[in-house]
Amino acid sequence: MLILISDAFDASLETKLQAFGEVTTDKSRAPEADVILVRAKTICNKEYIDAAKNVKLIIRGGVGIDNIDKAYAESKGIIVKNTPKASSIAVAELTFALMLSAPNHICEYDNGMKNGQWLKTIKRTELYGKTLGLLGIGNIATKVAERAKAFGMSVVAYDKYVSSSQVATLVPSVEEAVKDADYISIHMPLTDETRDMFNEKLFSIMTKKPVIINAARGAIVNAEDMVKALDEGQVSWYCADVYPNDPPAEDYPILKAQHVTLTPHVGANSKENLLRIGDEIVATINDLKANGKI
């Protein structure tokens, strides 16, 4: 068995995978590979899959598989997997760090101190007693909700695929989840339904000028409409770890917007999480191999 590690994983993964056969990081060997491991960088579209003539299994280390044409891969008998549980804590902690940074003006205070400004006139606000609206209530959002409740927040959530939650009050629509929220955190996959979901129409129904955090997918937010909402005060702050492309284009409107906090798609990049992703990949390959599927 030849396993191709196509993107960046923890350095220990290569050694762990050697129990299954040969391991390579040489992308030119994709046509020979039985198993291909990717994260967000490698795009497994139709052309890529057709070129990988021997592949039987593609695993994405992370949540979501929108960089893999899953339907086409499966039509060719290729198994497609990801590691949905491994990243939950890492992404939830970054989400919460971003959520804390905005009302506490961390970036402004830090920049001010370094520029000789004593910005005590900028007042902080607290998370305690505020309402968090979650879009999606899967593994990551559940961890975010647990942390929000520990801070004394009320948590509501919308997820069309979930009928009950122990950590959030479920509401029947996106609009209901965001209407009266002080903070909104996005945890949905990118689909035709969710693309540009955060747009001028949705911003117009928000009553509390919320802070919006996006550690899901950049294209769920319409960038032009977000900048307008920030400029007009419909949204007080936008925190993002995700963009339509990695890195975003130089003319991506949000890069030059006011009242934003941006990180370079590092939600899953904790040392601990990269180890968990590797362990989940090894377990997945071991299970499929034991059951004669690869």
Side-chain angles (χ1 to χ4, degrees):
M1 180 186 295
L2 175 62
I3 301 173
L4 168 62
I5 301 177
S6 186
D7 291 333
F9 289 83
D10 185 81
S12 66
L13 181 58
E14 187 170 349
T15 300
K16 294 175 182 177
L17 292 171
Q18 286 171 356
F20 300 110
E22 184 183 356
V23 183
T24 183
T25 58
D26 181 356
K27 295 182 182 182
S28 70
R29 298 189 68 187
E32 307 170 52
D34 299 281
V35 178
I36 298 177
L37 310 181
V38 304
R39 292 186 67 204
K41 191 172 183 180
T42 299
I43 306 300
C44 298
N45 54 21
K46 182 178 182 294
E47 291 72 24
Y48 184 93
I49 292 166
D50 284 342
K53 298 177 180 179
N54 200 45
V55 68
K56 302 171 185 66
L57 170 65
I58 301 173
I59 304 178
R60 179 177 188 269
V63 180
I65 51 172
D66 43 284
N67 58 321
I68 302 171
D69 189 335
K70 183 173 185 286
Y72 185 70
E74 291 181 342
S75 76
K76 300 195 58 127
I78 300 166
I79 300 168
V80 177
K81 296 286 187 179
N82 63 352
T83 60
K85 295 182 179 180
S87 301
S88 300
I89 292 172
V91 179
E93 286 193 2
L94 180 64
T95 297
F96 217 81
L98 291 169
M99 195 186 307
L100 280 165
S101 72
N104 286 289
H105 301 284
I106 299 299
C107 294
E108 292 166 282
Y109 289 152
D110 178 63
N111 288 332
M113 292 298 294
K114 291 171 181 175
N115 289 311
Q117 297 172 295
W118 191 251
L119 300 177
K120 288 198 72 169
T121 54
I122 300 176
K123 301 301 181 186
R124 298 168 48 239
T125 58
E126 299 172 358
L127 295 184
Y128 180 80
K130 305 301 193 299
T131 297
L132 170 63
L134 294 170
L135 277 300
I137 189 66
N139 293 318
I140 295 170
T142 294
K143 297 295 184 186
V144 173
E146 290 170 354
R147 285 151 179 77
K149 292 177 80 69
F151 271 70
M153 302 181 80
S154 299
V155 183
V156 299
Y158 167 75
D159 192 320
K160 68 185 291 185
Y161 302 106
V162 174
S163 58
S164 64
S165 172
Q166 295 184 341
V167 293
T169 300
L170 298 184
V171 293
S173 67
V174 171
E175 292 76 14
E176 190 74 16
V178 305
K179 182 181 178 183
D180 297 318
D182 301 284
Y183 295 82
I184 298 166
S185 191
I186 305 169
H187 299 281
M188 290 178 155
L190 180 62
T191 65
D192 290 341
E193 184 179 6
T194 63
R195 186 180 298 275
D196 287 333
M197 175 180 282
F198 278 74
N199 55 30
E200 187 173 12
K201 182 179 178 181
L202 189 62
F203 295 138
S204 70
I205 72 166
M206 299 176 186
T207 64
K208 291 189 175 180
K209 302 178 181 178
V211 173
I212 298 176
I213 303 98
N214 186 5
R217 292 292 183 265
I220 293 175
V221 171
N222 182 293
E224 290 79 9
D225 288 359
M226 174 61 79
V227 172
K228 182 180 178 184
L230 289 164
D231 288 344
E232 296 180 355
Q234 290 177 304
V235 173
S236 65
W237 209 273
Y238 180 55
C239 304
D241 184 50
V242 288
Y243 311 92
N245 302 289
D246 282 358
E250 290 184 6
D251 61 352
Y252 182 57
I254 289 172
L255 292 176
K256 302 224 186 320
Q258 298 296 310
H259 307 301
V260 298
T261 301
L262 306 175
T263 53
H265 203 171
V266 293
N269 272 17
S270 73
K271 293 179 181 179
E272 297 87 348
N273 182 50
L274 291 174
L275 288 170
R276 285 193 297 269
I277 286 174
D279 289 343
E280 197 165 335
I281 286 171
V282 170
T284 297
I285 295 174
N286 191 57
D287 180 65
L288 291 171
K289 191 169 184 295
N291 287 285
K293 295 183 178 180
I294 57 171

